[in-house]
Amino acid sequence: MLPYETIQEASAALGRNLTTAETIWFNYSANKSDYILYCHNIIFLFVVFSVIPFPLIFCELARLAGVDRYKIQPKVRLSWPEIFRCYKDVMRIFLLVVGPLQLVSYPSIKMIGIRAGLPLPSGWEMFAQLLVYFLIEDYTNYWIHRFLHNKWGYEKIHRVHHEYTAPIGYAAPYAHWAEVLILGIPSFLGPAMVPGHMITFWLWISLRNIEAIDTHSGYDFPWSPTKYIPFYGGAEYHDYHHYVGGQSQSNFASLKGELKGNGEQNGVSYHFSTQDLKSD
């Protein structure tokens, strides 16, 4: 909750007039506690998990020719009941694990210094922090994900996520409840190391999950904006990881920098390309 009664008080405290964005933020957040603002993440995650995957799910069910040509594993088709079952399982974990975790984790957010007041961060500050968050998350996610591919981790926990050998957007958060908790750690480390504003935190959580949905989409579009992100593997890169499944020894994170090329590892080909998956 902001410590100002009026916009004039806030302007006096900052020594300048509020920007348009700061005025909107003041009007929205002035009478809301920081806890309520933090819990907005529950709404954002619900919308991201439910809405973002839907357009490509629709395209897959409708088999639109203009989109279908970019499907990475076109021979694998899920029916609507199978897709809806995946979504229901995701929502069950959301209601039983993700939502309650958001409700009880606010003290840790206060402890690391996520703020909800004025002034708002600049666009460049938010961009720099989000870049740091993505890099930290990708690095730590790589090692945790790699650990989950050992015999015990895979059989006891990670196997659930790999039930979808040709992933769809709804399968991005589809996982064992323990994996949901464990892989929440990399997402938290960036904000803990470089704390920012609540708006940056909202944006980070939403973007991270949108990125996960993108890598699990099952489609590789040549015009995707992610093609211009250096070292970013995208859907094709991660799709191969699901294609190989428990035998996979590579492609654990979003950024490239692991096994690639032609050859074999543990008897499994690790040349990954859209053509390979389409011709299998």
Side-chain angles (χ1 to χ4, degrees):
M1 187 175 294
L2 297 179
Y4 315 115
E5 293 293 330
T6 66
I7 288 179
Q8 289 72 27
E9 284 185 25
S11 296
L14 294 179
R16 59 171 174 79
N17 291 330
L18 271 61
T19 65
T20 301
E22 288 171 336
T23 301
I24 294 172
W25 179 249
F26 180 93
N27 291 330
Y28 183 76
S29 66
N31 296 316
K32 294 180 177 67
S33 69
D34 290 359
Y35 176 70
I36 293 299
L37 292 172
Y38 171 66
C39 288
H40 281 39
N41 265 328
I42 298 175
I43 300 172
F44 297 146
L45 286 173
F46 175 77
V47 172
V48 167
F49 288 163
S50 300
V51 176
I52 298 299
F54 188 76
L56 286 181
I57 294 297
F58 173 79
C59 291
E60 175 154 343
L61 292 172
R63 301 200 176 187
L64 301 178
V67 176
D68 219 38
R69 59 187 292 198
Y70 300 112
K71 184 168 171 59
I72 300 171
Q73 297 189 56
K75 295 182 180 179
V76 182
R77 297 285 181 178
L78 297 180
S79 65
W80 170 244
E82 290 173 316
I83 292 172
F84 189 60
R85 182 186 70 82
C86 176
Y87 176 72
K88 286 194 299 182
D89 288 341
V90 167
M91 285 297 105
R92 178 173 56 84
I93 292 296
F94 180 81
L95 292 173
L96 296 178
V97 179
V98 178
L101 181 64
Q102 291 289 314
L103 292 174
V104 303
S105 60
Y106 174 69
S108 63
I109 295 301
K110 289 296 289 184
M111 181 182 68
I112 65 176
I114 300 293
R115 64 184 184 87
L118 296 173
L120 294 184
S122 68
W124 281 111
E125 180 182 343
M126 293 176 69
F127 174 80
Q129 288 176 331
L130 289 170
L131 178 60
V132 171
Y133 296 171
F134 270 112
L135 292 174
I136 292 174
E137 193 280 337
D138 195 77
Y139 178 79
T140 50
N141 180 73
Y142 169 86
W143 288 107
I144 294 175
H145 190 180
R146 185 164 188 159
F147 166 77
L148 289 174
H149 270 264
N150 67 34
K151 187 177 185 342
W152 181 90
Y154 189 85
E155 291 181 357
K156 300 296 184 182
I157 299 174
H158 195 49
R159 172 185 52 80
V160 174
H161 182 65
H162 274 275
E163 288 177 12
Y164 291 90
T165 56
I168 56 174
Y170 285 134
Y174 179 86
H176 191 284
W177 65 266
E179 180 169 347
V180 172
L181 294 177
I182 293 169
L183 289 182
I185 296 172
S187 296
F188 181 76
L189 280 180
M193 296 172 67
V194 187
H197 197 273
M198 187 69 74
I199 294 176
T200 309
F201 188 74
W202 286 349
L203 194 57
W204 159 239
I205 295 300
S206 296
L207 288 175
R208 172 62 189 97
N209 284 281
I210 290 172
E211 185 265 336
I213 290 169
D214 173 67
T215 59
H216 289 82
S217 68
Y219 289 84
D220 183 44
F221 298 111
W223 61 78
S224 173
T226 59
K227 294 285 186 182
Y228 299 97
I229 300 175
F231 309 111
Y232 185 72
E236 180 187 5
Y237 189 69
H238 193 69
D239 205 283
Y240 183 82
H241 178 80
H242 277 259
Y243 174 71
V244 178
Q247 300 178 77
S248 178
Q249 297 297 313
S250 64
N251 304 29
F252 294 117
S254 297
L255 297 182
K256 293 181 179 179
E258 312 165 58
L259 215 57
K260 53 187 176 181
N262 297 295
E264 277 196 30
Q265 177 156 314
N266 296 334
V268 178
S269 167
Y270 62 78
H271 171 76
F272 52 96
S273 72
T274 305
Q275 282 305 116
D276 271 348
L277 300 182
K278 286 184 175 181
S279 61
D280 179 68

